[in-house]
Amino acid sequence: MPQITVEYSAELAGAFDRRGFALALHRAVSPLVSSEVAAFKTRFRQIEESVIGEGAPAAMVHVRVGLLSGRPAELKQEVGRTVVGLASEHLKPVEGLPTQVTLEVYDMDREQYRQLES
């Protein structure tokens, strides 16, 4: 059920263990949101170009986590702390390239979310 989208700067392609991050995220967040690991879906999008602040060299990782609506704010904050910590653990520093990790936890409308199996 959780839908995760991770955008990351192209300069981080070799420094960001994306698969390791996704697997760790699934295992760590699963008990927090009472969802089976098999229900997690994470996709990655490489950002070819971005401008941060005044335009000095910098990189970013932005994680967007969608959970079915009705979750308390405290739970979303705990999910957020967990995800940011895991992202940092799976990201090697790139010399001369400051990197920002940002996060958004959002509600998915239960009435509009559908999963089709084939």
Side-chain angles (χ1 to χ4, degrees):
M1 168 274 307
Q3 298 287 323
I4 299 118
T5 303
V6 183
E7 298 176 322
Y8 64 97
S9 298
E11 298 87 350
L12 300 175
F16 185 25
D17 177 8
R18 296 176 297 281
R19 181 173 176 76
F21 169 65
L23 294 172
L25 183 154
H26 297 177
R27 288 189 293 266
V29 175
S30 172
L32 297 177
V33 299
S34 302
S35 182
E36 296 293 324
V37 170
F40 281 70
K41 294 157 192 74
T42 299
R43 57 199 158 278
F44 294 90
R45 295 182 181 147
Q46 185 171 298
I47 303 167
E48 294 302 322
E49 184 176 0
S50 62
V51 178
I52 298 172
E54 294 291 327
M60 63 178 275
V61 173
H62 179 72
V63 185
R64 193 164 190 256
V65 180
L67 302 173
L68 289 179
S69 60
R71 309 292 177 133
E74 297 79 19
L75 175 65
K76 292 178 189 176
Q77 291 169 354
E78 185 175 359
V79 167
R81 285 189 297 273
T82 300
V83 170
V84 168
L86 289 170
S88 297
E89 289 175 17
H90 289 84
L91 184 61
K92 296 177 194 165
V94 176
E95 188 174 333
L97 191 66
T99 301
Q100 296 179 6
V101 177
T102 58
L103 170 87
E104 174 187 1
V105 178
Y106 69 97
D107 288 328
M108 296 187 312
D109 186 329
R110 289 177 182 273
E111 298 300 316
Q112 294 181 3
Y113 179 76
R114 300 284 183 262
Q115 178 175 330
L116 300 176
E117 303 257 350
S118 57

